[in-house]
Amino acid sequence: KLIPTSDSDDEDDLEQEYMEESVKSIFLERKFSEFIPESSQSLKFRSFLVAAEGSDEEDDVVEGALMVMKMLGDFGRYGIEPMCFSYELEEEEEDDPMTHCVAYHTLKGGHFDGEIKFSLDQTEEGIVVSVTLAIPQGGRAPPERLAKAMVSSMTESIVESSRIRTKQTLSRRSQSQLYRARASGSATLKRHLRYEQEKSQEEMAKDRKRKWKRNNPDAGRYRPTGCRGPSGSGPVHGF
């Protein structure tokens, strides 16, 4: 499915960049079933790491996955499909279009045999997201209706997740710009108010000083009105 992008102006370029980052993060995080359409069969896909078989090293792990889908099990019940990681291809050169592919193959104990592949390709029209289910010759295949619902549901989920993540990123960017603008305006207003307050205080101080000098002709001059007596005899004042 195509996720259209545009390069008509800077805002669209920014949205396209965020969309690309969102799709890449979904593939890296293996979030292939976040937003399964309500009209589709209930489906969940989870990827996880498990210890490699026959290895004693703690860091020696392999990637596995489980897919749970309604109507996939016996008698129309939920079915669990265990899977194992097959391969991952990623190409993102500066001048080349972006491509990313992740594939898993089924294990014993599941309800069908084959490989499911998630891929994205960048084109001039936008980003193409696809999910492919391949069944080997002679392998067990799920009912055609379930197979179509499986691939279409996860394709729609990846597209919807990309759109939501892109909107969230744009919203956070807009809120950040608004906050910075408000913070800058608030700081400017505070500086202006502080300047006006200091200016008013200086003018009030000068005005008080002028009034004090006008009402006190001898202001600033020290003229003692008496003299001290001998030490211990207390003050003696003359008038």
Side-chain angles (χ1 to χ4, degrees):
K1 182 168 182 175
L2 177 67
I3 305 177
T5 57
S6 174
D7 57 355
S8 58
D9 52 37
D10 294 338
E11 191 68 25
D12 288 336
D13 288 342
L14 186 62
E15 182 176 355
Q16 178 178 348
E17 180 181 347
Y18 289 158
M19 178 65 75
E20 293 173 2
E21 293 296 329
S22 298
V23 177
K24 286 192 295 184
S25 66
I26 291 170
F27 271 69
L28 292 174
E29 298 169 15
R30 311 298 198 243
K31 301 292 187 180
F32 300 130
S33 62
E34 281 187 306
F35 297 97
I36 297 297
E38 295 182 359
S39 58
S40 301
Q41 297 289 352
S42 179
L43 183 152
K44 290 294 182 183
F45 183 94
R46 292 290 183 270
S47 174
F48 50 85
L49 297 177
V50 296
E53 185 177 0
S55 175
D56 297 330
E57 298 292 335
E58 294 183 358
D59 296 335
D60 192 3
V61 295
V62 295
E63 183 179 349
L66 283 177
M67 184 178 66
V68 181
M69 186 176 184
K70 189 176 181 180
M71 302 296 293
L72 183 62
D74 298 333
F75 307 108
R77 294 178 295 186
Y78 279 89
I80 300 177
E81 188 67 35
M83 299 182 180
C84 184
F85 175 79
S86 295
Y87 60 88
E88 182 172 11
L89 302 175
E90 182 178 6
E91 296 181 5
E92 188 179 1
E93 300 295 337
E94 184 175 352
D95 299 328
D96 296 333
M98 174 182 61
T99 60
H100 199 151
C101 173
V102 182
Y104 298 86
H105 60 266
T106 58
L107 299 174
K108 291 182 179 179
H111 298 276
F112 63 90
D113 303 321
E115 179 184 85
I116 186 167
K117 181 176 69 173
F118 306 88
S119 59
L120 69 89
D121 297 280
Q122 188 177 24
T123 65
E124 294 181 357
E125 291 78 15
I127 300 173
V128 178
V129 176
S130 62
V131 179
T132 306
L133 176 63
I135 306 297
Q137 186 175 3
R140 296 173 300 161
E144 183 178 355
R145 179 176 60 85
L146 280 183
K148 290 182 177 180
M150 184 187 305
V151 297
S152 63
S153 296
M154 287 192 283
T155 302
E156 292 288 345
S157 174
I158 296 172
V159 172
E160 186 63 19
S161 295
S162 303
R163 288 173 178 167
I164 290 176
R165 293 192 182 197
T166 301
K167 289 181 180 179
Q168 290 174 342
T169 304
L170 290 171
S171 178
R172 286 193 297 268
R173 179 177 180 272
S174 177
Q175 290 175 354
S176 177
Q177 289 178 336
L178 181 61
Y179 173 79
R180 286 197 298 267
R182 287 180 176 176
S184 176
S186 177
T188 302
L189 178 60
K190 288 180 179 179
R191 287 194 298 269
H192 178 71
L193 292 176
R194 186 167 59 248
Y195 168 77
E196 293 294 335
Q197 185 178 15
E198 292 175 354
K199 183 179 179 181
S200 177
Q201 290 174 348
E202 290 177 357
E203 292 178 352
M204 290 172 63
K206 291 179 180 180
D207 186 58
R208 284 197 301 268
K209 190 174 182 180
R210 286 194 299 268
K211 290 181 179 179
W212 182 64
K213 287 184 175 180
R214 184 169 60 249
N215 297 329
N216 297 274
D218 294 329
R221 300 177 184 179
Y222 176 68
R223 294 181 179 180
T225 58
C227 60
R228 287 181 178 274
S231 178
S233 61
V236 176
H237 299 279
F239 298 92

